[in-house]
């Protein structure tokens, strides 16, 4: 019997500004896992049976681009799972696919549908390879080759999003006007560029960051003793009522009811490698 196994891999130094990490998961167990919007797009390679997303009513493809989402979902696996996942920084997917990240908003898109020949060839190499360490090397080579062809104009626009995005991660209650001023763009221009790189509007993205911050505090609540009023303040909500209302909107549960159902985990504010 194959035990459930997770392996995390750190990207090479050149790719660290663009890639958060890679992870590999193997399981022969039937899984029904509750997941939250994590704030980072992903490319997923399924070497066995893909995952079912009941909220969307679809199975992921063997090569799937998972965009930014604003809802939580139940992920189902039938007991034959082996997947390799590339977790991008919040605003970097567009640089490697040359497609606005907003194109994948709230979607699980087949990588075979975007007509990226090199990505499809990469997928075939991974599906034919039994050594997942070697698969990670294949992925890194592909990412590095894509990075080497980044257009100067695109890279410049990407850099303008860095400071506003860092500010959101630090203080998600920041206003869009303040963020656009940081980027030296009008609000309309900033919102357009933000959607291109991040995959959703800046105001909506602050909601996801607030949720992930709250999940991080809930994840460590037993060790810190922080209460819900303190979590609301520290996560950037106006007050505890705002915290509970927005949390339930994105999770379907209040913070207390979620704690009764599962152990919260923040993908965005946890660094496994």
């Amino acid at each position: 019997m194959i035990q459930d196994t997770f392996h995390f891999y750190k990207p090479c130094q050149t790719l660290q500004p663009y890639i958060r990490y890679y992870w590999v998961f193997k399981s022969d167990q039937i899984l029904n896992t509750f997941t939250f919007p994590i704030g980072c797009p992903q490319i997923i390679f399924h070497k066995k049976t893909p995952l079912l997303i009941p909220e969307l009513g679809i199975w992921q493809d063997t090569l799937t681009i998972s965009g930014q989402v604003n809802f939580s979902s139940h992920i189902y696996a039938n007991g034959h799972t082996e997947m390799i996942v590339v977790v991008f920084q919040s605003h970097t997917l567009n640089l490697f696919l040359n497609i606005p990240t907003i194109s994948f908003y709230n979607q699980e898109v087949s990588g075979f549908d975007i007509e990226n020949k090199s990505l499809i060839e990469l997928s075939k190499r991974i599906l034919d390879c039994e050594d997942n360490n070697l698969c990670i090397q294949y992925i890194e080579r592909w990412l590095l080759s894509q990075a080497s062809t980044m257009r100067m104009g695109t890279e410049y626009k990407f850099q303008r999003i860095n400071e506003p995005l860092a500010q959101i991660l630090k203080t998600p209650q920041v206003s869009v006007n303040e963020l656009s001023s940081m980027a030296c763009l009008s609000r309309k221009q900033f919102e357009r560029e933000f959607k291109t790189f991040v995959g959703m509007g800046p105001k909506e993205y602050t909601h996801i960051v607030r949720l992930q911050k709250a999940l991080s505090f809930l994840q460590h609540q037993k060790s810190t003793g922080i209460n819900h009023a303190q979590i609301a303040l520290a996560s950037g909500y106006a007050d505890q009522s705002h915290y509970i209302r927005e949390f339930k909107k994105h999770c379907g549960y209040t913070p207390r009811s979620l704690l009764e159902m599962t152990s919260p985990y923040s993908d965005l504010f946890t660094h496994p490698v």
Side-chain angles (χ1 to χ4, degrees):
M1 176 181 288
I2 300 172
Q3 299 294 321
D4 292 359
T5 59
F6 269 106
H7 290 289
F8 293 91
Y9 298 81
K10 188 176 183 178
C12 67
Q13 187 172 1
T14 301
L15 290 172
Q16 286 175 21
Y18 310 105
I19 308 299
R20 292 191 65 208
Y21 52 84
Y22 316 102
W23 58 274
V24 175
F25 176 63
K26 292 184 180 182
S27 176
D28 61 359
Q29 306 295 313
I30 293 176
L31 302 176
N32 190 350
T33 303
F34 190 63
T35 65
F36 311 97
I38 71 172
C40 296
Q42 303 167 86
I43 293 181
I44 304 167
F45 303 89
H46 286 288
K47 302 180 79 171
K48 293 185 179 179
T49 307
L51 303 179
L52 172 66
I53 316 295
E55 284 74 10
L56 296 176
I58 62 168
W59 291 86
Q60 292 179 333
D61 206 339
T62 53
L63 170 60
T64 293
I65 301 165
S66 185
Q68 296 280 10
V69 299
N70 63 3
F71 60 90
S72 296
S73 59
H74 294 81
I75 304 297
Y76 174 80
N78 67 3
H80 302 280
T81 307
E82 184 174 356
M83 55 195 292
I84 301 175
V85 182
V86 182
V87 182
F88 289 80
Q89 300 288 1
S90 305
H91 59 321
T92 58
L93 179 66
N94 171 58
L95 295 172
F96 294 89
L97 297 183
N98 198 26
I99 298 173
T101 309
I102 190 66
S103 303
F104 307 105
Y105 175 67
N106 278 348
Q107 296 184 71
E108 303 289 325
V109 176
S110 171
F112 300 105
D113 291 340
I114 66 169
E115 300 182 356
N116 186 314
K117 184 178 179 180
S118 65
L119 179 59
I120 293 172
E121 290 176 349
L122 170 65
S123 176
K124 291 177 180 177
R125 293 191 74 181
I126 288 173
L127 296 178
D128 291 337
C129 180
E130 296 184 2
D131 184 343
N132 285 328
N133 291 317
L134 184 56
C135 289
I136 297 297
Q137 293 179 34
Y138 290 155
I139 290 170
E140 287 233 309
R141 290 174 194 166
W142 179 79
L143 290 166
L144 287 167
S145 70
Q146 298 300 109
S148 68
T149 62
M150 286 180 190
R151 293 174 297 178
M152 185 177 297
T154 301
E155 176 73 13
Y156 172 70
K157 291 179 180 179
F158 159 75
Q159 294 295 342
R160 296 181 81 164
I161 300 297
N162 276 340
E163 184 181 356
L165 188 59
Q167 190 63 43
I168 291 174
L169 294 173
K170 183 179 179 181
T171 55
Q173 64 269 38
V174 63
S175 71
V176 177
N177 286 337
E178 186 176 347
L179 294 170
S180 60
S181 179
M182 288 181 188
C184 299
L185 294 168
S186 69
R187 176 169 177 147
K188 186 175 181 179
Q189 289 174 317
F190 174 71
E191 289 178 334
R192 182 174 61 250
E193 295 296 342
F194 195 93
K195 287 180 179 179
T196 294
F197 287 96
V198 177
M200 59 173 55
K203 185 174 182 180
E204 184 174 26
Y205 192 71
T206 63
H207 297 173
I208 303 304
V209 173
R210 278 199 294 257
L211 171 67
Q212 283 288 327
K213 273 188 174 288
L215 287 170
S216 180
F217 286 116
L218 291 172
Q219 180 181 343
H220 303 289
Q221 189 178 34
K222 288 184 179 179
S223 60
T224 63
I226 189 171
N227 63 39
H228 288 285
Q230 293 169 324
I231 291 174
L233 179 63
S235 302
Y237 295 98
D239 51 40
Q240 190 169 348
S241 295
H242 180 214
Y243 159 57
I244 294 171
R245 184 173 63 253
E246 194 171 287
F247 194 98
K248 186 175 182 180
K249 176 183 176 182
H250 290 293
C251 287
Y253 299 88
T254 66
R256 291 184 189 277
S257 62
L258 181 69
L259 284 168
E260 294 172 358
M261 185 193 76
T262 188
S263 298
Y265 179 85
S266 170
D267 286 278
L268 189 60
F269 292 99
T270 299
H271 304 282
V273 291

